[in-house]
Amino acid sequence: MVGDFFAGLWVVDRVGVFLAYTLGGVALGTVSGLVPGIHANAFALLLAATAPTLSGPSAGVAVAVLAAGVTHTFLDVVPALALGVPDAAMAAGSLPGHRLVLGGRGREALRLSALGSGGALLCALPVAVPLTALVRRHESLLSTSLPFLLVGVFVLLVLAERRPWRMVAAAFLVLLSGALGLATLDRPFDGFVAVGGVLTPLFGGLFGVPVLVDAARGSGVPAQDGVELATRPLAVGRAAVAGVAGGGLVGYLPGVSAGVAATLALPFAGREDPDRTYVVATSGANTATAVFALFSLVALDAPRTGVTVALRAVGPPPLATLLTATVVAGVVSAVLVPVLGDRYLAAAGQVGPRTTSLVACGLLCLLSGLFAGVGGVVVLAAAGVVGLLPVRLEVRRVHLMGVLAVPLVVG
């Protein structure tokens, strides 16, 4: 009887330690997700570098790292919506989430994102088992076919522009961003932090600086209306499932982002309300990627993301422990998105757009220099010039993911 009592205390203690490390990771991922300019890849690589040096049981550190990575995929939508809101005249070429903010529906967009991420997380867990088994069975074929698969993905992405002149512009952007990747990805960059390298200035320049530059001429975040969802639950569910399909593509295929996957998956999500559908599908793809990448690590020993690189360095605990941490972090993060996001939007609305853009651009310069030195700041500026082109050419920004895909195909 006494032995059973103390055994029960030991179990409770282990559960308490597990929750403490998981919630600590959630707190870390919340901070990183809310800071503009910290791309998920850079944050994950920073975790990978620091995780082996952290004190504490390896299983606890692994759980914290995973929870931080999952939380980041939920919370990074908040600064993405609150910062970089363009002038209304440029809304047609802006991101779908920004168009919702311009229409006063930013709070709704936050909740759509939370639903997309949460729904995709729950759907991805059962899908990951058979999908991973399928990938494992054909792993060698997938590896040898990778260049052809990437070419096929970006051909479909270009064709999705529909109009001939836009297709030409999209193909040009894929090749131009690919040339930028070829010129920078394999070059040594000496930053103050020996992690992240050139990825931070590349992604910050291609996808961060242009949005902020356009937003500096805007009127900032307007007053936001209520939180009621204007999209039918069935449409939200379809978009979340489409995000899961996109997350599977990202989780097992390098060189493809959640934005690319969501763009390709949107036709399967239906044509109803494309802006809202895109927010749900992209958020879903972003979070589902974390689940599929986890299975890829455990089943295939193939770390596809910075978080799984960190887990591999620490030594991952059993899959059941990791999946439990993923679910706990996902549930908490889904609540945090609207709670913190509403306040973030309100605070951004009280600050002038030019000030907000300058501060965010300054942070990107600081991070670029931190991760890649002076050369990183130069890359940030060059990538920023390239990143300004999609809106001017009236095509999607996702074509700039050629920065990773083209070097993979050529290499």
Side-chain angles (χ1 to χ4, degrees), residues 60-350:
V61 174
V63 163
V65 167
L66 178 61
V70 170
T71 303
H72 190 107
T73 68
F74 276 77
L75 270 296
D76 61 358
V77 70
V78 175
L81 288 175
L83 304 178
V85 178
D87 184 81
M90 298 189 69
S94 64
L95 298 173
H98 286 153
R99 290 197 288 269
L100 291 174
V101 173
L102 282 170
R105 303 304 300 173
R107 298 176 67 195
E108 179 194 0
L110 289 168
R111 284 148 181 82
L112 288 171
S113 176
L115 288 173
S117 289
L121 179 64
L122 297 179
C123 292
L125 290 172
V127 171
V129 176
L131 182 59
T132 303
L134 181 64
V135 171
R136 187 174 189 177
R137 187 179 309 161
H138 301 288
E139 186 177 4
S140 59
L141 177 62
L142 181 64
S143 179
T144 56
S145 304
L146 178 61
F148 304 101
L149 290 172
L150 287 175
V151 170
V153 165
F154 278 84
V155 166
L156 291 175
L157 202 64
V158 168
L159 294 176
E161 293 293 345
R162 297 177 177 271
R163 297 182 182 179
W165 65 272
R166 287 185 176 175
M167 293 182 193
V168 173
F172 168 73
L173 290 176
V174 171
L175 296 176
L176 180 62
S177 61
L180 182 63
L182 288 171
T184 57
L185 286 175
D186 290 333
R187 292 177 62 88
F189 287 88
D190 297 322
F192 295 97
V193 178
V195 65
V198 76
L199 285 178
T200 294
L202 267 181
F203 281 98
L206 291 173
F207 300 103
V209 169
V211 175
L212 295 170
V213 168
D214 290 337
R217 301 196 302 268
S219 55
V221 177
Q224 301 297 300
D225 296 330
V227 300
E228 301 81 9
L229 301 185
T231 305
R232 293 183 302 112
L234 181 60
V236 174
R238 276 203 311 262
V241 171
V244 173
L249 183 67
V250 178
Y252 298 100
L253 196 64
V256 179
S257 70
V260 172
T263 300
L264 296 179
L266 275 180
F268 303 99
R271 296 290 181 183
E272 178 182 334
D273 206 341
D275 283 353
R276 290 175 171 82
T277 301
Y278 185 86
V279 169
V280 175
T282 304
S283 299
N286 199 19
T287 302
T289 299
V291 175
F292 292 122
L294 181 60
F295 274 82
S296 178
L297 171 68
V298 174
L300 308 175
D301 193 31
R304 298 294 188 192
T305 65
V307 169
T308 52
V309 170
L311 290 175
R312 192 184 195 187
V314 174
L319 181 61
T321 301
L322 294 173
L323 292 179
T324 303
T326 300
V327 173
V328 171
V331 170
V332 175
S333 301
V335 175
L336 289 176
V337 169
V339 171
L340 298 179
D342 286 352
R343 290 162 175 77
Y344 204 107
L345 278 173
Q350 296 173 1

